[in-house]
Amino acid sequence: DAGVIQSPRHEVTEMGQEVTLRCKPISGHDYLFWYRQTMMRGLELLIYFNNNVPIDDSGMPEDRFSAKMPNASFSTLKIQPSEPRDSAVYFCASSFTSTGNQETQYFGPGTRLLVL
Amino acid sequence: GNSVTQMEGPVTLSEEAFLTINCTYTATGYPSLFWYVQYPGEGLQLLLKATKADDKGSNKGFEATYRKETTSFHLEKGSVQVSDSAVYFCALNPGGGADGLTFGKGTHLIIQP
C-alpha cells in the first residue's frame, strides 16, 4: 500500500492568497483526519470525516478554513485568505473501522505551509 | 476534557542508555493510548499502543504499560541507539467509537554516540 498521500509537500504563498492542501487516504479506510502542527500549539485536530461526511469540525480555527471530502479517495483543506499565522505543517491521517472500533491512525508525510 | 502531558525535552542520552519518557493523561471513559514517533521531515508513525488497562504495548524494543490507577503510559527502552533520535508523541483516543487523537506536546530525544 502506498500509504496516505499528501500534496504538495511544501507550499510557500503570500498573505491573502488561497491555499489548497490535498490528501488521498489509504484505500479502504473510512475515517479521514486533518491535523495541524506548530511549535507553539503542538498537534491539533482540525476536522475529521467518516464515510466522506464531516463529523467534527470544532477544531477548525476560523471561517477562513474549509475542508471537503467529495469521495472516499480524496479530501481537501482550503485556506482563504491565508495569513502568516497559518504557517504550520498540516497532516492528513486515515483509519478504518473494525468490529465497531477505529483505532490506529496512519499519517501522511505532511504539507509544510509558509505564508509570507 | 481530554489532555495528555508528557515530559519536556530535549532529552539527551548516550547510546545504550536506558530511556524513560513520562506520559500522563486525563480522559473520561476508557481511552486507548498510543505512542507515535516522528523522524525529521517525516509524518508520524505508530510506535505502539494499548487499548485497555494493564495492557503492554511493545515494538522495536520500546515498551509502555497502560496504568489506569496512575493514568500513565510511560515509554521505556532498555538500550537506545543513535537511530532512535526523533520526536515522540503520547496520544489518546477517548474510546467508544471514532474520534480524533489528543496529543501531548512531544518529547525530542537525542541519542549521542
Side-chain angles (χ1 to χ4, degrees):
Chain A
D1 199 314
V4 176
I5 299 172
Q6 292 187 247
S7 64
R9 292 293 307 274
H10 302 274
E11 178 79 28
V12 180
T13 190
E14 293 187 344
M15 183 174 63
Q17 296 298 305
E18 177 179 295
V19 175
T20 299
L21 312 180
R22 297 173 177 80
C23 174
K24 176 179 169 54
I26 294 171
S27 178
H29 283 193
D30 55 351
Y31 282 87
L32 184 140
F33 304 82
W34 283 101
Y35 292 88
R36 177 172 68 175
Q37 184 181 36
T38 62
M39 287 294 293
M40 291 298 295
R41 301 173 67 90
L43 274 156
E44 304 172 283
L45 175 67
L46 300 178
I47 184 171
Y48 74 92
F49 297 81
N50 176 220
N51 292 322
N52 316 336
V53 176
I55 303 301
D56 183 355
D57 66 353
S58 59
M60 296 285 263
E62 308 174 23
D63 291 345
R64 298 184 296 106
F65 286 69
S66 62
K68 295 181 180 180
M69 193 166 185
N71 57 63
S73 59
F74 183 65
S75 177
T76 60
L77 178 67
K78 186 174 294 186
I79 309 172
Q80 166 63 18
S82 58
E83 296 182 2
R85 59 193 166 120
D86 302 330
S87 298
V89 181
Y90 291 81
F91 289 104
C92 177
S94 70
S95 68
F96 73 95
T97 307
S98 174
T99 61
N101 296 313
Q102 72 84 16
E103 292 291 351
T104 303
Q105 295 183 20
Y106 296 86
F107 283 74
T111 295
R112 187 173 297 274
L113 173 66
L114 177 61
V115 183
L116 302 174
Chain B
N2 303 314
S3 66
V4 175
T5 303
Q6 59 183 109
M7 59 193 299
E8 297 287 333
V11 174
T12 304
L13 296 172
S14 298
E15 204 166 20
E16 299 183 3
F18 184 86
L19 168 71
T20 300
I21 301 178
N22 290 335
C23 171
T24 57
Y25 67 90
T26 301
T28 55
Y30 303 94
S32 296
L33 302 174
F34 304 82
W35 278 101
Y36 278 83
V37 59
Q38 184 178 31
Y39 298 100
E42 298 184 11
L44 280 75
Q45 302 174 26
L46 178 68
L47 181 59
L48 53 85
K49 69 178 184 180
T51 58
K52 61 183 187 297
D54 300 325
D55 269 2
K56 177 186 286 188
S58 61
N59 185 26
K60 300 180 180 178
F62 291 90
E63 294 183 339
T65 301
Y66 188 145
R67 301 289 188 196
K68 189 170 175 60
E69 64 276 13
T70 54
T71 61
S72 65
F73 193 55
H74 305 321
L75 182 68
E76 297 181 335
K77 186 174 185 181
S79 177
V80 293
Q81 306 299 314
V82 172
S83 57
D84 294 327
S85 299
V87 181
Y88 292 80
F89 293 90
C90 186
L92 70 82
N93 180 320
D99 295 285
L101 294 170
T102 298
F103 285 91
K105 289 291 181 67
T107 301
H108 187 193
L109 176 64
I110 301 170
I111 306 301
Q112 297 177 332

